[in-house]
Amino acid sequence: MTTGHERSLNRDFRPGWGCSPGQEPLRLRRCTLPAELNERLRTRRKIQPALFFFETVDRFGIETELSLVQLDIAGWSSHGGNQADLVLREPLHDPPSPAARPIWQLWSAGRPPVANLWAGHDRVEWLRAALAHRRAEGPDRPPGRVYRVDGAHVTDVTSYYCALGEAVNGPGGYFGWNLDALADCLRGGFGATPPFTVVGPEVPHVREVFERAGVTLRATP
């Protein structure tokens, strides 16, 4: 969603972020606030509830969009500059589940250094994190490549997309999380240019999506 009220709202990643269903209020520690919002808080001017981006910041200063939040402020305390603790009346929109916490802690140290770390985590939340952390790293690789999907931990469709993302874009890579997202990735901008070949396990209906894009799927047991 894009509105005239949308701004970036950054916070340092730390354990205890987010809130459980039904838990209120939502407390955000050491948020970096837009200057206008910080000035309104400091001078006690009225702040209309508005939709903001909620982003985490890893130890390298890289910002990653996590969710949206309705910024309806119930209380705040300043840490100086543009940093403040906020107490909000509403939770995050579609926040990650508690199973995502170790995944985001892992990513806060930087991109995963080796493949298949997703196998020890919730696969849906891993894909959400991989998509959120995706960064364009130059142009897509040229057509004609062969990408080999490691099927050692592929047990279902979700785990297949975890492995496919790493086959195309390396550890922590993303290349779709369902058929529609896969089709989007095949249109360009996600690291690989069709036609190319994918070698590895096969899950339902991916062959049709690949073939429509000119991709050859060479299935292996």
Side-chain angles (χ1 to χ4, degrees), residues 156-186:
D156 55 18
V157 173
T158 306
S159 57
Y160 176 80
Y161 284 110
C162 293
L164 175 64
E166 295 197 328
V168 176
N169 289 309
Y174 172 84
F175 203 76
W177 62 275
N178 62 17
L179 295 175
D180 289 338
L182 175 60
D184 286 341
C185 292
L186 289 167

Side-chain angles (χ1 to χ4, degrees), residues 81-203:
N82 283 348
Q83 286 201 336
D85 293 345
L86 299 179
V87 181
L88 306 183
R89 294 186 176 91
E90 295 189 22
L92 297 179
H93 173 71
D94 190 25
S97 73
R101 182 175 297 175
I103 297 172
W104 284 80
Q105 288 173 331
L106 172 67
W107 278 91
S108 72
R111 190 181 180 109
V114 296
N116 290 329
L117 291 181
W118 56 266
H121 296 278
D122 183 281
R123 281 79 186 278
V124 171
E125 294 297 346
W126 182 275
L127 289 169
R128 289 183 60 170
L131 174 58
H133 287 85
R134 190 185 74 84
R135 295 287 184 272
E137 299 176 352
D140 289 349
R141 288 175 293 282
R145 298 290 185 94
V146 176
Y147 300 100
R148 300 183 182 278
V149 177
D150 182 353
H153 303 284
V154 173
T155 58
D156 55 18
V157 173
T158 306
S159 57
Y160 176 80
Y161 284 110
C162 293
L164 175 64
E166 295 197 328
V168 176
N169 289 309
Y174 172 84
F175 203 76
W177 62 275
N178 62 17
L179 295 175
D180 289 338
L182 175 60
D184 286 341
C185 292
L186 289 167
R187 294 186 183 102
F190 287 82
T193 304
F196 56 81
T197 299
V198 174
V199 179
E202 182 175 357
V203 294

